[in-house]
Amino acid sequence: MCGRYTLIASPEALRAQFGYEEQPDFPPRYNIAPAQPIAIVRLIDGRRQFALVRWGLLPSWVKDPKAFSLLLNARGETVLEKPAFRAAMRRRRCLIPADGFYEWEATSERKRPYYVRAKSGKPLAFAGLWETWTGPNGEELETATIVTTRANALLAPIHDRMPVIIPPEAFDLWLDCTKVDAQTAAALITPAPEDLLEVIPVSTDVNRTANDNPKLVEPAAEIAEPAPAPKPAAKRASPKRAKKDNGQGALF
């Protein structure tokens, strides 16, 4: 699962990497959380377009959005069949720019956060799906979800899932829903190469969505496992008094 991520590259750097014409100006984000606006890149009329949508997919057939749970992630193994995702997989694939994402490792004490980013320091492109929901009064809401896959060997000790990361040379293959069918695009749903990423332990400050600052991605000291509690000292046995010999041999 991917439930938090960052987008801290400059607008100019993202525009150059993703190739859209818009010139949005946005601040760095160090703790993007569900239901917040997120940046996506999609293909509209043959050109790449930057857009802001809500994180948490809302399928077009939903009657009451308040009664529908946010779909933050779409499992890549079933994205072609699940009713919530199959139409978007065929017609509305997108890229979700990110500089890295957070995962939590369960320990005996509490969940320990890690930040995962590219070794190169360059932004990543998550595979995404987007939808437009239209309300009874004609209001529209655009939403998106992150496609996930099984974790690679680097991340498996921390979590069993990870976002699908699309390499730059495959951007068009994922985005072009007119020329590339869903089955072909699904071939990109694989774990990222181990040598692409690095994992950094970070502070538990990231647990609070209100925290959004550069310190969240700074390396934190590894938390040592608590030492086992010392065993209670064994009670010393009281010395036994010698039994008076009554002249008979001991039977036991």
Side-chain angles (χ1 to χ4, degrees), residues 116-139:
V116 185
R117 65 184 181 189
K119 288 181 179 178
S120 66
K122 294 182 178 179
L124 303 168
F126 297 158
L129 305 173
W130 67 278
E131 276 284 8
T132 300
W133 178 84
T134 303
N137 299 319
E139 67 274 24

Side-chain angles (χ1 to χ4, degrees), residues 223-236:
I223 304 171
E225 292 294 335
K231 295 181 179 180
K235 293 182 178 180
R236 296 180 62 182

Side-chain angles (χ1 to χ4, degrees), residues 195-207:
D195 60 358
L196 174 68
L197 305 170
E198 61 182 358
V199 179
I200 303 167
V202 293
S203 166
T204 54
D205 288 349
V206 72
N207 295 351

Side-chain angles (χ1 to χ4, degrees), residues 8-230:
I8 57 184
S10 70
E12 294 77 18
L14 288 175
R15 185 168 180 259
Q17 179 166 333
F18 287 88
Y20 47 79
E21 297 178 3
E22 292 78 16
Q23 299 185 37
D25 187 16
F26 45 84
R29 298 291 311 281
Y30 293 89
N31 199 4
I32 298 174
Q36 293 180 353
I38 63 171
I40 68 168
V41 178
R42 56 192 176 187
L43 201 65
I44 301 294
D45 297 330
R47 70 177 184 88
R48 295 182 190 178
Q49 179 192 76
F50 174 97
L52 288 176
V53 303
R54 190 196 71 176
W55 185 11
L57 193 81
L58 187 63
S60 59
W61 42 261
V62 171
K63 300 297 182 183
D64 182 7
K66 295 180 180 179
F68 192 83
S69 299
L70 294 178
L71 299 176
L72 308 180
N73 299 154
R75 292 180 67 90
E77 296 86 344
T78 57
V79 76
L80 293 171
E81 295 85 26
K82 290 287 185 181
F85 307 121
R86 61 190 178 196
M89 184 63 189
R90 289 196 302 266
R91 305 185 187 97
R92 288 173 290 279
R93 299 189 296 268
C94 67
L95 300 172
I96 300 177
D99 280 88
F101 60 96
Y102 299 101
E103 279 300 351
W104 281 260
E105 176 191 23
T107 67
S108 57
E109 293 295 304
R110 56 179 175 175
K111 290 187 175 181
R112 183 183 303 174
Y114 290 85
Y115 182 54
V116 185
R117 65 184 181 189
K119 288 181 179 178
S120 66
K122 294 182 178 179
L124 303 168
F126 297 158
L129 305 173
W130 67 278
E131 276 284 8
T132 300
W133 178 84
T134 303
N137 299 319
E139 67 274 24
E140 290 186 346
L141 176 64
E142 291 189 326
T143 61
T145 189
I146 296 172
V147 181
T148 65
T149 186
R150 69 185 187 281
N152 61 19
L154 177 69
L155 292 178
I158 299 172
H159 199 277
D160 62 350
R161 306 291 296 176
M162 69 179 298
V164 173
I165 298 173
I166 305 295
E169 62 271 19
F171 282 3
D172 288 335
L173 185 63
W174 181 259
L175 288 174
D176 197 338
C177 300
T178 301
K179 297 180 181 178
V180 182
D181 62 63
Q183 194 74 43
T184 302
L188 295 172
I189 301 176
T190 58
E194 283 79 11
D195 60 358
L196 174 68
L197 305 170
E198 61 182 358
V199 179
I200 303 167
V202 293
S203 166
T204 54
D205 288 349
V206 72
N207 295 351
R208 295 187 66 243
T209 58
N211 293 331
D212 190 351
N213 59 73
K215 290 185 178 181
L216 298 183
V217 298
E218 292 178 359
E222 286 279 9
I223 304 171
E225 292 294 335

